[in-house]
Amino acid sequence: VLSNARLFLETPPRYGILVDPIQVVSLFLKDPYSWPAPCLIIVANAFAVVTLSLERRLAAGTLSEGAGAALHALNLLSILCFPAAVVLLVPSVTPVGAVFALAIYTILFLKLFSFRDVNKWCRERPPKP
């Protein structure tokens, strides 16, 4: 580990940066379908935004608790099914990328489920006198 760390620290001053980060980003932007796992991770933000907007509507009272619970259940179910379907149907997904993306989605599912529960408890809490 120490010899590799020394090599990592000595290489840029001696030889410069050998990998151009702009080329890596442009490669990703030119053909995003060759990178399905990072695209899956980026799309995960949409599920979090949906959950946030549902909770805002529930807190404002513009959405009933029953409809909110049904929409939350649909959103959480899609968090589990969508990445699994993409991993199974897209042949360019590597096993390492698939495991990483599915782990991110599993963590997101658990966090959004907890977010929904905590906000429900806060809505049900009686107001302080």
Side-chain angles (χ1 to χ4, degrees), residues 92-128:
S92 63
V93 178
T94 62
V96 173
V99 166
F100 188 67
L102 291 174
I104 297 269
Y105 270 86
T106 303
I107 292 167
L108 181 68
F109 170 80
L110 294 171
K111 289 199 171 281
L112 292 181
F113 189 86
S114 173
F115 180 72
R116 179 192 64 89
D117 274 353
V118 168
N119 283 322
K120 184 178 177 186
W121 295 336
C122 289
R123 280 191 305 274
E124 292 173 351
R125 184 179 61 188
K128 293 183 178 181

Side-chain angles (χ1 to χ4, degrees), residues 10-94:
E10 288 180 358
T11 301
R14 186 177 293 169
Y15 303 110
I17 298 175
L18 301 176
V19 177
D20 186 15
I22 295 175
Q23 285 181 346
V24 173
V25 171
S26 67
L27 175 68
F28 178 69
L29 293 177
K30 282 182 192 171
D31 189 18
Y33 297 108
S34 66
W35 300 78
C39 287
L40 266 175
I41 293 169
I42 292 169
V43 170
N45 292 316
F47 296 107
V49 169
V50 167
T51 302
L52 179 64
S53 66
L54 284 173
E55 282 301 326
R56 283 187 176 171
R57 286 180 173 233
L58 285 167
T62 60
L63 190 63
S64 69
E65 285 291 328
L71 290 172
H72 272 303
L74 182 67
N75 188 34
L76 290 172
L77 181 68
S78 62
I79 288 173
L80 293 179
C81 294
F82 173 71
V86 169
V87 165
L88 289 174
L89 297 176
V90 176
S92 63
V93 178
T94 62

